[in-house]
Amino acid sequence: MLLENLALFLRIVRHGSMAAAGREMGLSPATVSERLAALEAQYGTRLLTRTTRSLSLTEEGRALAEGAPNLLAEAEALQSRLRDGVTHVAGPIHVSAPSDLGRNRIARLLDRFMALHPGVSIDLHLSDGYIDLAAQGIDLAIRYGALADSSLIVRPLAPSARIVCAAPAYLERHAPPEHPEDLHRHNCMMMRFRGEVDRAWPFIIDGKPRTLLLSGNRIANDGALVREWCIEGHGIARKAEWDIVEDISAGRLIPLLRGFEVAPLRLQALYPKGRAQITRIRLLLEFLVAEFAGQAP
């Protein structure tokens, strides 16, 4: 009965109306009131503030509204396992990833995961900018670098150096830089993050960190496009190692100035609290951890 009452509570929240939720579930107004009262008694607190004209969530009600979907999803998965006698993983997973890494690596890994679990569906959001995971309904995000939102849980996947690189065609026309200062004489293609152009490239020079402000004639907020420009020989780029490891192996890109690199960034999985308790999301997370561990550049 608790799960049924939770489902009713979520319908009330979604509709903003006890009567509408009751009609959807085929329950009388009296029954809806009784079940809501039973749920509040179960948790020992008021969940909704009710007036003749409106409903509003209490703080406790808001917390339950955020956590109840996970409880119901887990209960459904458990019921399926008990009913079918097998581990059955199904349902949607909303994933976010950087554009270049998402297209060239994450998408392939998701294909393999879905082949293992045909009942899973994937909604992949590609973006190199900041997104609000909760507002966008994202279950799992793959990101480089420091964590901005302290409410998210972090699972490290792998280190990833940022590599200065260029195509052989570009280096045939321009002498390769031997020192970071030489980049001032080159066309350096930039990424734009959150409206800011990434002109400041960090290096370790003479054992000390130093940042150079560079320039070029191509800027984009899409890492995949910057990589394409680089492969086409339009200039020099600074790309995450995971984005270009295959291009380097195939000779499409040449790494430069590796002796001056700063410490690698961390590639990591981020997810809202409670998401990893959902079986399909936990299995995807473990799958990604294992895959990146076995594919270190």
Side-chain angles (χ1 to χ4, degrees), residues 15 45 65 83 92 95 153 170 181 188-189 217 226 232 286:
H15 290 293
T45 185
R83 182 179 60 245
V95 181
I153 309 300
Y170 178 85
E181 291 283 3
C188 296
M189 299 178 293
N217 64 6
V226 173
E232 291 168 359
E286 298 298 337

Side-chain angles (χ1 to χ4, degrees), residues 72-246:
L72 293 174
E74 280 296 294
E76 181 182 354
L78 177 59
Q79 184 181 39
S80 294
R81 289 198 298 271
L82 295 176
R83 182 179 60 245
D84 300 339
V86 297
T87 299
H88 180 66
V89 181
I93 306 178
H94 298 264
V95 181
S96 174
S99 62
D100 203 349
L101 183 74
R103 287 189 180 94
N104 295 298
R105 189 170 297 273
I106 299 299
R108 296 202 300 263
L109 293 179
L110 293 176
D111 286 341
R112 292 172 55 189
F113 181 78
M114 293 172 73
L116 294 172
H117 305 287
V120 168
S121 62
I122 296 292
D123 185 338
L124 180 59
H125 181 284
L126 299 180
S127 173
D128 287 313
Y130 169 81
I131 65 168
D132 186 327
L133 269 60
Q136 297 288 332
I138 300 298
D139 297 309
L140 185 67
I142 312 300
R143 287 290 182 268
Y144 291 110
L147 175 63
D149 188 343
S150 61
S151 69
L152 300 175
I153 309 300
V154 180
R155 184 72 179 271
L157 296 176
S160 180
R162 294 290 298 278
I163 300 176
V164 175
C165 58
Y170 178 85
L171 298 176
E172 288 174 3
R173 302 193 307 272
H174 306 275
E178 298 182 359
H179 188 278
E181 291 283 3
D182 296 340
L183 293 173
H184 289 296
R185 300 192 294 271
H186 286 269
N187 187 42
C188 296
M189 299 178 293
M190 311 290 180
M191 278 288 298
R192 183 188 299 108
F193 298 101
R194 304 185 196 178
E196 296 292 329
V197 178
D198 183 26
R199 299 184 185 279
W201 291 10
F203 296 95
I204 300 296
I205 300 176
D206 296 328
K208 298 179 181 179
R210 186 175 167 193
T211 298
L212 301 181
L213 293 178
L214 303 171
S215 61
N217 64 6
R218 292 173 186 253
I219 298 170
N221 66 344
D222 186 316
L225 180 56
V226 173
R227 172 175 162 269
E228 289 176 13
W229 284 341
C230 197
I231 292 173
E232 291 168 359
H234 296 298
I236 291 178
R238 184 170 176 262
K239 292 287 297 174
E241 185 173 15
W242 282 104
D243 291 347
I244 60 171
V245 60
E246 294 177 359

Side-chain angles (χ1 to χ4, degrees), residues 4-60:
E4 294 176 357
N5 289 345
L6 283 174
L8 172 61
F9 172 70
L10 291 178
R11 283 180 168 83
I12 293 172
V13 172
R14 184 168 67 247
H15 290 293
S17 166
M18 295 174 62
R23 286 194 297 272
E24 184 176 293
M25 298 186 71
L27 301 174
S28 69
T31 301
V32 172
S33 295
E34 290 173 4
R35 288 196 177 182
L36 180 59
L39 191 63
E40 290 178 329
Q42 172 79 28
Y43 291 110
T45 185
R46 291 291 298 275
L47 301 174
L48 294 170
T49 300
R50 301 182 282 279
T51 69
T52 56
R53 294 180 176 272
S54 65
L55 291 175
S56 61
L57 287 167
T58 63
E59 286 300 317
E60 294 79 8

